[in-house]
Structures are given as C-alpha cells and as structure tokens.
Amino acid sequence: MNGSTHNEDLSKRNYIRYDSGVEKVPPGEAEDIQQTVDLINQIQKTHWNMHRHCYSGTHARTQGLVKGKLIVPEDLPAHLKQSMFRHGNEYPIACRYSSEPGDPGLDDRIPQPRGFAMKIFGVQGDMFPIGVGIPTQDIEFNSTPAIDLADAKTTKEIIGLRVKYGGNKEELYKQLEARNDTDLQKARDSVRNTHLESTRQYSQTSYRFGDYVAKYSLVPSSETQKKLYDETVKPDEHEPDILSNWLKNFHANHEAEYLWQFQLLENIDDQPVEYSGKVWDPEKYPWQTVAKVIIPKQDSFDYELKAFWEDHVRVDPWHGLVSLQPLGSGNRLRRVGKRVSAPQATSY
C-alpha cells in the first residue's frame, strides 16, 4: 500500500530519529504566544458582537460533516510501522470540512485555504494528559502545504496586521509587501478555489511519527474525486455556499476515498521543523502511504450536527498519542491557543 512513485527501497533511507533535540525553542516565544492568543480572543469577540455566537478563532465556517473509517494495513514496511500504524486495524472516524479564516459567514466564492479535521476513535496508547481516558486521536489538515503563520512570532505579527487592517485590503497588502515573506503571506488569496473532494490536504507543521519525524497529507484517491479537480468556483455563476452544496451533492451520490501519506524527516536544515513556511520537497523526500480513509454515502450537511460540532467539539492535535506529538513553534502555539480559544467560545 506504499503510495510513493519512487522505485527505490525507501526503507533504506537515513531518516532522522525523533528526540527532544529536534525542537529549538527561540527566546521570547512564550510572550509571542500569549500576545497571539489575546489577538485571537479579540477576533472571537468581534464575531460574537456580529453574530451573537462565538466561534473558534480559525476554521470557523463549516462546509460539511461526515463519518467514515480509517484502515491501516497489516503489511506496511517496518519503517512505517510507527505509533498507531504499528499493527493493521480499522478505526471509526468523524470529519469536518471547513474554510480556514475566522469568519463563519465567509463567502465560498472567495479563494482561501480550506481545512479538514479528523477525529479517530478507539486509538490505544500513551496519551498526552488532555487525552488520558479518552481513546481519540485528533488530526488537522489544511489545503496549502506551507502555512503563512509559520511560527509563533510570525503568527503574532500577521494576526496583528489582520486585526488592524482587516477591513482595508489595500493597506493590509502594503504592510505585507514590506515583509521578507510577502509571497508566503499573499499566497492564501490566490489558492485554487475548487471542489473540496478533489483537494489535497496537508499537516503543514511537523509531527513525531513514532521513532521518526514527519509531515502528513491526505490525498483524494477515487477516480470520481480526481475528475473534480478541474471543477473550480466561478464567482459570477455560483452561489455563496457553493462548496457546501458541491460536498452535499457528492456525498449523497458517491463514496470518498483518501490515502493518508507521510513524508519523513531526513535533513533538518532542508526540512525545517520549527518554521512551517517552507515546503519539504517531495522529489527529495517522497510521500509514503500508511493508511486509507473511506467515507460512505451520506448527508454531509446536517444543521443540528453542525451546531453541535461548532458548540461542543474541539479538534486539538495535542489530544492524542505521545508518539504523534505535534512539533515546532506553530504547534506549541496551538497547545496554548486551543486551551484558551475553545473555552472562550463557550463562555459567551
């Protein structure tokens, strides 16, 4: 079930083994994280005042909710038999499609990164404290392979600019063009706005992968999904909720399949762990398939389920196995931010 297109024996590569030295915490990061959390709470308060309902700081718009199963094969090569993939198994999952910004009313015709979250049930092993006694592994994906909020310092700066100039795109772009990472920051506004069932999803940040370190990706694998890649949103022809409508129509008539692939760390200078604004070159560091996701036909937009998920369900990559530990500055920010923004959302 190895999904790599490389002909070489990938088990013989010199993968970097996980240890605590993989992460290098920069000075001042704790202050950057706290200031970022304060800004995210400010955004939440703004949307509360607009909608009289508080949402999470990011990925506020639900595009669809589905359930399915995750299948881990028994015959993975030894170097991929890591963490929850050590033995063949089948797990029930619940998944949410979303749009990445913090605006729950975002028009689907506006190109923005899209998200996919997955809760995997029945996972056994050594859990982080937040997950002790709850055998669930949370997984987050985003449709762009690199994230503009590349570390805690960058996130503080960019969220600050969005709060200050969010209503004035021209001024916001002036501020972004004065930065060294202009292309990365502006890329979110020019992503392909296409059918979510054809959209590849990425972890963006790094994670422990048992004995190793990796990023991961979810790849649409059925022929029906692949054919939808060319179906893009046309602002002059489509309605504001076109992405949800496309999903609803797809899931009512088709089964969805995805390959869950991992990209292992081999060169920490070329594959940074702390900074998530750089793509790990797949030609140098190939993707390898470890599992398959199957989503059967179903209704993907139930309003009661949508309300329940948005009000009561939190997806947190720190809710899960120690052997899949989130790594790097962005994930340390998440560890604090998820603890603060979710209670904030339910306190109004």
Side-chain angles (χ1 to χ4, degrees):
M1 193 177 169
N2 192 327
S4 171
T5 57
H6 288 240
N7 294 322
E8 67 174 293
D9 181 355
L10 297 178
S11 67
K12 299 187 181 301
R13 288 200 169 202
N14 187 27
Y15 301 115
I16 294 176
R17 299 184 73 85
Y18 168 79
D19 64 44
S20 59
V22 169
E23 294 185 282
K24 308 291 184 184
V25 181
E29 183 179 83
E31 291 78 9
D32 289 335
I33 288 175
Q34 185 56 55
Q35 290 178 45
T36 301
V37 169
D38 292 343
L39 288 166
I40 291 173
N41 287 165
Q42 184 177 336
I43 293 172
Q44 290 179 293
K45 291 175 183 177
T46 298
H47 287 297
W48 164 257
N49 290 331
M50 292 170 58
H51 304 286
R52 308 314 292 175
H53 191 104
C54 196
Y55 295 85
S56 61
T58 60
H59 294 275
R61 181 171 175 80
T62 299
Q63 306 290 169
L65 293 163
V66 293
K67 59 184 179 180
K69 60 185 177 181
L70 173 71
I71 303 171
V72 179
E74 190 66 58
D75 61 348
L76 288 174
H79 71 289
L80 298 181
K81 283 183 173 288
Q82 304 294 327
S83 185
M84 61 175 286
F85 309 100
R86 188 172 297 279
H87 302 288
N89 209 339
E90 184 174 306
Y91 301 93
I93 59 174
C95 309
R96 176 179 182 253
Y97 299 87
S98 65
S99 287
E100 191 251 46
D103 180 3
L106 182 74
D107 192 317
D108 286 353
R109 295 170 296 186
I110 299 174
Q112 285 292 286
R114 312 298 177 183
F116 186 86
M118 183 162 59
K119 280 188 168 289
I120 308 171
F121 302 104
V123 176
Q124 301 296 327
D126 185 18
M127 294 277 183
F128 282 103
I130 190 176
V132 171
I134 307 172
T136 304
Q137 175 68 49
D138 287 1
I139 301 292
E140 291 182 326
F141 298 91
N142 191 288
S143 61
T144 59
I147 183 171
D148 46 359
L149 308 178
D151 53 27
K153 181 176 183 296
T154 303
T155 304
K156 176 194 69 175
E157 295 168 353
I158 296 302
I159 297 293
L161 291 175
R162 291 177 187 170
V163 168
K164 187 173 183 179
Y165 301 109
N168 185 341
K169 189 170 183 177
E170 182 178 350
E171 184 58 37
L172 176 61
Y173 264 45
K174 285 182 181 178
Q175 299 294 323
L176 296 180
E177 286 166 358
R179 296 176 54 89
N180 294 329
D181 60 352
T182 301
D183 290 343
L184 176 65
Q185 298 305 328
K186 293 171 65 175
R188 64 185 295 110
D189 294 328
S190 58
V191 295
R192 291 184 81 253
N193 202 7
T194 188
H195 199 300
L196 294 182
E197 276 306 320
S198 70
T199 301
R200 183 167 184 157
Q201 299 281 348
Y202 301 86
S203 68
Q204 298 181 317
T205 55
S206 305
Y207 291 80
R208 181 179 176 182
F209 180 54
D211 294 334
Y212 303 110
V213 175
K215 290 186 178 183
Y216 48 74
S217 176
L218 202 64
V219 186
S221 57
S222 76
E223 290 305 313
T224 305
Q225 289 165 274
K226 293 176 184 178
K227 290 176 182 176
L228 293 174
Y229 183 78
D230 293 326
E231 190 168 357
T232 55
V233 175
K234 299 177 177 61
D236 296 333
E237 299 179 17
H238 291 131
E239 60 272 20
D241 55 353
I242 182 61
L243 294 179
S244 293
N245 290 339
W246 276 350
L247 273 182
K248 188 175 178 69
N249 181 65
F250 177 90
H251 285 292
N253 295 285
H254 303 283
E255 181 177 89
E257 295 183 4
Y258 295 89
L259 300 179
W260 193 1
Q261 300 184 335
F262 280 66
Q263 185 183 33
L264 276 63
L265 178 67
E266 301 180 54
N267 181 339
I268 202 165
D269 294 323
D270 196 34
Q271 298 171 274
V273 169
E274 288 297 331
Y275 181 79
S276 300
K278 180 180 179 180
V279 176
W280 291 4
D281 185 349
E283 294 301 316
K284 295 181 183 178
Y285 317 108
W287 292 102
Q288 303 176 62
T289 299
V290 300
K292 178 184 286 188
V293 169
I294 304 291
I295 300 173
K297 296 179 185 179
Q298 61 195 279
D299 180 1
S300 67
F301 206 90
D302 179 281
Y303 282 95
E304 290 186 9
L305 182 57
K306 173 181 179 292
F308 177 82
W309 186 293
E310 291 176 348
D311 289 347
H312 301 290
V313 178
R314 180 177 72 188
V315 177
D316 181 350
W318 288 93
H319 190 297
L321 296 165
V322 173
S323 56
L324 290 177
Q325 178 181 334
L327 301 174
S329 181
N331 279 322
R332 292 191 295 273
L333 168 60
R334 280 177 176 166
R335 190 173 200 179
V336 177
K338 294 279 187 179
R339 304 294 188 275
V340 176
S341 64
Q344 180 87 352
T346 56
S347 67
Y348 285 93

